[in-house]
Amino acid sequence: MTEAGIVGRRTNRRGLATRENMLEAALTSLASGDPGSVSANRIAKDAGATWGAVKYQFGDIDGFWAAVLHRTAERRAGLLSTPEHPDESLHRRVGRIIDTLYHGLSSADSRAIENLRAALPRDHDELERLYPRTAAELASWEKSWLETCQRAFADLDIAPDRVQGVATLIPGAMRGLVSERQLGSYADLDVARETLTKALVAYLSS
């Protein structure tokens, strides 16, 4: 192996390490919930780097935010891809999805996502114009989530439009329950989750 090859590989490893540090710094900063944390300059400083280094690794702020979001998607991959066992009941499958989202939406990654999304344009056309790669990453989540739900019920005789309806409803419903928990609701949220599970099972079974 030539010396040039060794140096090149070391440079690549250093570059990957720098990239990883920036992504982790971004997620840590964004998870604080501070609106001011949605700043590439601040995140670069937290990572001991510069904005120029961020641009070198990710191209621009759009590429950076897209990479941050993609990192969180990688961590979630496979959590709900298949039933725990072939005979798992419909009630158990729905309940497992609801419980996973209920607890997952309180994670540091979820807080980081919410903080970042709050700073991005709400209008899809504007988001796609200003942050095309970030918009594409977010759009891919919708497709992946639907596919996850389809796999969860694939061996059951359930109408596809029913699965799609449940996939559309659950994320928003769980964000509402998580918000209630964070606000210190007096409501019994365990009962709320079980009631939602029963309602969705009835809908999928009808």
Side-chain angles (χ1 to χ4, degrees):
M1 181 179 296
T2 66
E3 184 65 24
I6 295 173
V7 171
R9 293 178 67 174
R10 285 176 179 168
T11 300
N12 287 338
R13 285 198 293 270
R14 284 199 298 270
L16 288 173
T18 299
R19 183 183 179 90
E20 293 297 309
N21 288 340
M22 288 178 179
L23 291 174
E24 290 305 316
L27 289 169
T28 299
S29 183
L30 291 168
S32 70
D34 178 6
S37 66
V38 190
S39 162
N41 282 320
R42 174 171 164 177
I43 291 168
K45 183 178 179 181
D46 290 345
T50 64
W51 167 236
V54 174
K55 289 181 67 177
Y56 179 80
Q57 291 292 333
F58 302 98
D60 56 16
I61 189 63
D62 180 32
F64 185 43
W65 294 145
V68 169
L69 292 171
H70 187 70
R71 169 54 55 86
T72 67
E74 289 177 330
R75 290 175 171 174
R76 295 192 305 274
L79 286 178
L80 295 166
S81 57
T82 58
E84 290 182 333
H85 53 79
D87 297 326
E88 186 178 25
S89 69
L90 177 58
H91 186 281
R92 173 59 185 156
R93 297 183 198 203
V94 173
R96 187 159 55 88
I97 291 172
I98 286 176
D99 288 347
T100 299
L101 262 67
Y102 182 73
H103 296 296
L105 286 171
S106 297
S107 69
D109 277 5
S110 289
R111 294 196 303 272
I113 293 166
E114 293 297 322
N115 196 19
L116 175 55
R117 292 188 70 171
L120 294 171
R122 303 291 198 279
D123 181 76
H124 288 177
D125 290 339
E126 185 180 4
L127 177 64
E128 290 167 8
R129 178 174 60 84
L130 296 176
Y131 302 95
R133 294 170 64 186
T134 302
E137 179 64 26
L138 289 170
S140 75
W141 289 8
E142 301 299 325
K143 182 174 182 291
S144 296
W145 170 243
L146 176 58
E147 291 172 349
T148 293
C149 291
Q150 289 170 335
R151 286 194 299 270
F153 307 116
D155 59 331
L156 303 177
D157 186 19
I158 299 175
D161 64 313
R162 297 275 167 151
V163 174
Q164 183 170 2
V166 167
T168 302
L169 172 66
I170 287 179
M174 299 321 300
R175 286 191 183 93
L177 291 181
V178 169
S179 177
E180 283 296 298
R181 180 178 63 187
Q182 292 170 341
L183 293 172
S185 174
Y186 284 100
D188 189 331
L189 299 181
D190 289 338
V191 171
R193 282 155 54 204
E194 178 60 20
T195 301
L196 178 60
T197 298
K198 290 178 179 177
L200 293 179
V201 168
Y203 174 73
L204 290 171
S205 301
S206 63

